[in-house]
Structures are given as C-alpha cells and as structure tokens.
Amino acid sequence: MLSYTEENYIKALLRLTLEKTVAGTNELAAQLGVKPATATDMLKKLREKQLIDYEKYGKISLTLEGRKKAMQVLRKHRLWETFLYEKLGFAWDEVHDIAEQLEHIQSEKLVEKLDKFLDFPKFDPHGDAIPNAEGEIKVFFTQTLSQIAVGNICRMAAVKDNSATFLQYVAQVGLSINEHIKIISKQPYDALTCIEVNGKQSNVSPKFTDNIFVVGENE
Amino acid sequence: MLSYTEENYIKALLRLTLEKTVAGTNELAAQLGVKPATATDMLKKLREKQLIDYEKYGKISLTLEGRKKAMQVLRKHRLWETFLYEKLGFAWDEVHDIAEQLEHIQSEKLVEKLDKFLDFPKFDPHGDAIPNAEGEIKVFFTQTLSQIAVGNICRMAAVKDNSATFLQYVAQVGLSINEHIKIISKQPYDALTCIEVNGKQSNVSPKFTDNIFVVGENE
DNA sequence: TAACAAAGTTAGATTAATCTAACAAATTTT
DNA sequence: AAAATTTGTTAGATTAATCTAACTTTGTTA
Ligand SMILES: [Mn+2]
Ligand SMILES: [Mn+2]
Ligand SMILES: [Mn+2]
Ligand SMILES: [Mn+2]
C-alpha cells in the first residue's frame, strides 16, 4: 500500500512524463512544492518499491507498475471531480483542491461504485479523459487554440491548466467545455488573438490560447 | 487545523465521554489501538491546543471547543456513511471503514453540499443521529432491547455496536432500522431472549440485546 | 496500613517526511 | 578545454506519531 505522499509523487511523475517520458529531480520537486533534497530521498524509496526507473544524477521514469498505480490515483481524482461538479454543484474551479484529498481514499469498491453512480463518465469537468479501471486513457487532445488559423471555428475540448484563476478567466470569457470558438483575428504586434464565443468577442494572450485544447467544429 | 490523528483522538474521546463525561488514558489507547504511552504524548498535545481538560494521572474530558471539533468529525462520518449507503448502494456493514477515511476530508463547503444532496438526513444507516452544522445532537436513544418485557412489541431505532460481524448478524435475524420486534420469551437458565421479527423467531444473547436500541412500537 | 495490582508517565528509540547547508556531477558558455 | 551555471546528492537536523521498557502514582485488598 502506498502512502498519501508516495501517491502524490507518482501522480506528479505521471503528469511530467506523459509528454516527455522522463523527468528531472528539480522539476519534480517544483511540481510538488518541496525542495530537491526531499525529492531525492523519495526517489530512492520509489525505486526500492520498483515504481520508478532512476539512478543517481539520471533521469526519472515510471515503471509499468508505477504508471498503473499513478493512473489509478488519476482515475480517482477525475471521478471525484466529476462527482463534485455533477452531483454536488461545485463550480469547475473549486473541484480540484477537494479531489486532491479524495483521490487518496483507499477502497477499490468505492471507486467502482462511484463510477457507476456517475454513469461511467469519460471526461472530468475540465475535459480531461478519465482512465478506465485498468488505468488506460484512450483519448488524448493535442491541438490547442493557438494552432487554429484565423477565420476557422473549433470547439473547446479541455483545459490544460487547472488553476482556479485560469478556470475563472476562461468562464469569464464565456467559454466552457464543448463551446464553439471562432478565431476572428491575430495581432502580429502584441500576439493577442481575438476570439468570438456566443457572439461575444475577447482578446486573449498566447498563454491563454496555449492552455485550451480544441477539436474541429463537428468532431 | 487538526491532523488526521488528532481528529481521531478527539473523536474517540467524544465516544468515551458521551456517557461517562470523563475517560482514562488506557481506555482511550485501547479505543484507538495504540499503546498508553502513545496516548499520553498526544494528550499533552491536545491539552496544549485547549481541546481537552487533563492533568497528569487525572481524568480526561473534552473542552467545549474540543467537543465541537469532535462533533464536526462525527457529523462528517455519519453524512458520508449515509451517502455510501443511500447513494452508492453499500451494505450497512461496509460503510463504517470507508467513512473512517472520508471523515477527515477538509472542506466546510463539501460537508454542507453533501448534507443538502442527501436531503438533510437526521440519522445514519445505523440509526445514529447526525450532528447538525453547529455540532449538536438532539435525539438520544437510551432504551435497549434487553429492557423490553416479555409480550411487548418495540421498534429498532439504532445499533450500539457498529462492527461488521454484529451488523451482519443483525441482518441475518431479519432486523433492520424501524423493524418491529416482539419479545416472545426469556430463558432464565441461559439468559437468551426469543424475539420475533416479521414472523421469524430467533434466540439471541444478552450481548446482542444490549446492542440494539429500541423505541416504543408507535413512536 | 502495608502490600499488591492497575493505571498512567517518562526515557529513549524508530520511521516517514521534510528542511538547510554544503558538496558533487553534468551541462553549457566562453 | 577551462570556467561558470545548472542540476542533483549527501549530511545532519526537525517534527509527528509510534513503540518498548522502566518507572511512578493511584487505588484496592488483605
Ligand atoms: Mn493528492
Ligand atoms: Mn480535472
Ligand atoms: Mn478516522
Ligand atoms: Mn454509523
């Protein structure tokens, strides 16, 4: 059985290695809000438990077992977020912090009952895919709003950044999951993009458009 | 903010002091499954935090503040048990262990949303009263099945013992909350009581009847 | 009331998770 | 390739929660 802390470490590693497959000590420590020295200690422990591949001064990656365990935590996190949002009526910028705690509740049966109660959701309130009971994710969004050309229309699939400030900002612009977005123009001078959502136009930064995943208008 | 462990200590103290108002170190340690030496250390810490009244070699009691905090934990415990039972379809002997974990989730808002979602339940699946947001309980059951005279009919209000083995035994006899019970006879020789539930008769021990709270037939 | 038993405390050690300060290795720049 | 920077590790300390073994206090019994 993994401790609360160990679970947080492998979940952070999962996040870091989803794109780049390997991670570094400082990066991991930053992600978790601890000092690199602390992360080094934990890395030794996780290697001992065969959850990661790692050697001194080298790069870190999850073993198959580690990845599976991390996916289970991610599954719980996203199922609980969905519960909080769909059943209890929390806003989408409130669910993450509470799910950070709920994801550590130990009970296989609870996860499966919760999944059923929510009618086997495929996505969480932020548009992120929920791993299945085997710890697999099929859908991956790759296209961001910044990649859409002027004049085109797309649909918001998910948000990359889950921070409350960003989520509130997104909502303020009139955006939500599945909402249609038209790219009106891009300013070469200050790199802002003018988008139209439900008839309302807004100018947003590259940082903003980089953090919105989109799919084609009718996908 | 109290730690997970501190919360468990004051909850245990609440349970112990609900009837007798004071508790002893060994008793508390036994309740929590730790050694008396461990409990002594924690008692100093809880006194420091003004959650208990206690001095060396003396008896322990909760302060008003400590009692309130403990009641909040108990409230969460029972609300979560109700959720697991009512919404997720867990059996009444399965909910306690999971609620032991869920009771420590920190979020005022979550508790109130959960309460509303459950439609402000007054009792948990074991018939125990759920403290209100102010940490108060109004209803207290005092009469046990062992106190009912032969020939009388009563109704099961709650169970005193929440262990899975006892709960399964109770269900096996055909008993559940609000079920009517008729006292058929009491054997002077071996102290067994013959009860009738839904036409089915069973012989049960004093240990059994002491752990069932009842109210009058029409209360 | 002296002796014994029960209840409770203290001292000293352990484990998990964290930190700071100092050091070492690897990488990048000049 | 030497110097400088970045990255990562080690040593030593701290805090929370726990234990065992030895000791002290309180309460009971003869
Ligand atoms: Mn977490
Ligand atoms: Mn999410
Ligand atoms: Mn608990
Ligand atoms: Mn209960």
Side-chain angles (χ1 to χ4, degrees):
Chain A
M1 185 125 305
L2 300 188
S3 74
Y4 186 107
T5 308
E6 288 166 337
E7 286 192 343
N8 281 337
Y9 274 81
I10 58 168
K11 186 161 70 91
L13 278 172
L14 177 64
R15 164 173 280 272
L16 290 174
T17 57
L18 264 187
E19 298 159 48
K20 314 175 309 151
T21 72
V22 289
T25 305
N26 289 355
E27 198 180 13
L28 174 63
Q31 179 79 195
L32 287 161
V34 299
K35 300 292 162 177
T38 308
T40 299
D41 278 350
M42 183 58 83
L43 288 174
K44 290 177 190 163
K45 207 194 325 177
L46 294 175
R47 176 181 46 197
E48 210 53 46
K49 294 198 174 186
Q50 317 216 355
L51 297 169
I52 61 171
D53 287 320
Y54 155 77
E55 53 193 68
K56 230 206 244 195
Y57 293 107
K59 288 300 175 187
I60 313 152
S61 62
L62 286 165
T63 61
L64 270 186
E65 187 57 22
R67 186 187 160 89
K68 196 173 172 186
K69 287 264 170 62
M71 280 290 191
Q72 306 290 356
V73 180
L74 194 62
R75 169 171 164 79
K76 287 193 274 181
H77 183 99
R78 293 182 176 168
L79 282 174
W80 279 117
E81 280 190 343
T82 306
F83 167 72
L84 295 171
Y85 184 78
E86 297 287 344
K87 302 292 184 178
L88 297 195
F90 275 95
W92 77 335
D93 60 291
E94 298 175 306
V95 300
H96 182 81
D97 289 346
I98 304 177
E100 255 337 285
Q101 299 178 61
L102 287 164
E103 73 191 2
H104 303 291
I105 302 292
Q106 303 287 350
S107 167
E108 276 279 323
K109 200 165 177 180
L110 174 56
V111 185
E112 300 324 313
K113 292 229 182 212
L114 186 62
D115 193 22
K116 186 179 180 185
F117 182 62
L118 299 171
D119 205 20
F120 309 105
K122 293 281 162 283
F123 301 98
D124 81 4
H126 310 110
D128 292 312
I130 299 174
N132 65 22
E134 283 69 47
E136 296 150 3
I137 290 182
K138 323 104 214 183
V139 197
F140 283 99
F141 300 117
T142 49
Q143 199 175 30
T144 65
L145 184 53
S146 50
Q147 291 157 5
I148 308 299
V150 171
N152 287 44
I153 296 178
C154 58
R155 201 160 49 79
M156 177 161 125
V159 286
K160 221 176 197 173
D161 178 356
N162 276 9
S163 70
T165 33
F166 179 64
L167 294 176
Q168 283 161 18
Y169 186 11
V170 172
Q172 192 192 302
V173 166
L175 265 175
S176 58
I177 303 291
N178 288 325
E179 194 64 68
H180 289 250
I181 311 169
K182 182 171 184 183
I183 313 295
I184 304 299
S185 63
K186 292 190 182 189
Q187 291 303 123
Y189 180 65
D190 56 7
L192 294 193
T193 303
C194 180
I195 61 171
E196 185 179 303
V197 178
N198 252 317
K200 183 180 159 199
Q201 295 197 354
S202 311
N203 287 304
V204 293
S205 67
K207 188 173 173 188
F208 186 100
T209 55
D210 279 345
N211 278 301
I212 306 263
F213 282 118
V214 296
V215 293
E217 188 179 0
N218 303 309
E219 278 176 52
Chain B
M1 183 122 310
L2 301 187
S3 72
Y4 186 108
T5 310
E6 287 166 338
E7 286 192 344
N8 281 337
Y9 273 82
I10 59 169
K11 186 162 68 91
L13 277 170
L14 177 64
R15 164 173 281 274
L16 290 174
T17 58
L18 265 186
E19 298 159 50
K20 313 177 308 150
T21 73
V22 290
T25 304
N26 288 356
E27 198 180 15
L28 173 63
Q31 178 80 193
L32 287 160
V34 298
K35 301 291 161 179
T38 307
T40 299
D41 279 349
M42 183 58 82
L43 288 173
K44 291 178 190 161
K45 207 192 327 175
L46 294 175
R47 175 180 48 198
E48 210 53 47
K49 294 199 175 184
Q50 316 214 357
L51 297 168
I52 61 171
D53 287 320
Y54 156 75
E55 53 192 69
K56 231 205 244 195
Y57 294 109
K59 290 298 175 188
I60 313 153
S61 62
L62 286 165
T63 62
L64 270 186
E65 186 59 21
R67 187 188 159 90
K68 197 172 171 186
K69 287 263 170 66
M71 279 290 191
Q72 306 292 356
V73 180
L74 193 61
R75 168 170 164 80
K76 288 192 275 180
H77 183 99
R78 293 181 176 169
L79 281 174
W80 280 116
E81 280 190 342
T82 305
F83 167 72
L84 295 172
Y85 184 79
E86 297 287 343
K87 302 291 183 178
L88 297 194
F90 275 95
W92 79 334
D93 60 293
E94 298 175 306
V95 300
H96 182 81
D97 289 347
I98 304 177
E100 259 331 289
Q101 299 178 60
L102 287 163
E103 72 192 3
H104 303 291
I105 302 293
Q106 302 288 350
S107 168
E108 276 280 322
K109 199 165 180 182
L110 174 57
V111 184
E112 299 324 313
K113 291 228 180 212
L114 186 62
D115 194 23
K116 185 179 182 188
F117 182 61
L118 298 172
D119 205 18
F120 309 106
K122 294 280 161 283
F123 301 98
D124 82 2
H126 310 109
D128 292 312
I130 298 174
N132 65 22
E134 284 68 48
E136 295 150 3
I137 290 181
K138 322 107 217 184
V139 196
F140 283 99
F141 300 117
T142 48
Q143 197 175 31
T144 63
L145 184 53
S146 51
Q147 290 157 5
I148 308 300
V150 171
N152 286 45
I153 295 179
C154 58
R155 203 160 49 78
M156 176 162 127
V159 286
K160 219 176 197 174
D161 177 357
N162 277 7
S163 70
T165 34
F166 179 64
L167 295 176
Q168 283 161 19
Y169 186 10
V170 172
Q172 191 193 302
V173 166
L175 265 175
S176 56
I177 303 290
N178 288 326
E179 194 64 68
H180 288 251
I181 311 168
K182 183 171 184 185
I183 313 295
I184 303 299
S185 63
K186 294 190 183 188
Q187 291 302 124
Y189 179 67
D190 54 8
L192 294 193
T193 302
C194 181
I195 61 172
E196 184 180 303
V197 178
N198 252 318
K200 183 179 157 198
Q201 296 199 354
S202 311
N203 286 305
V204 292
S205 67
K207 187 174 174 189
F208 185 100
T209 55
D210 279 346
N211 277 301
I212 305 261
F213 282 119
V214 296
V215 293
E217 188 178 2
N218 303 309
E219 280 178 52

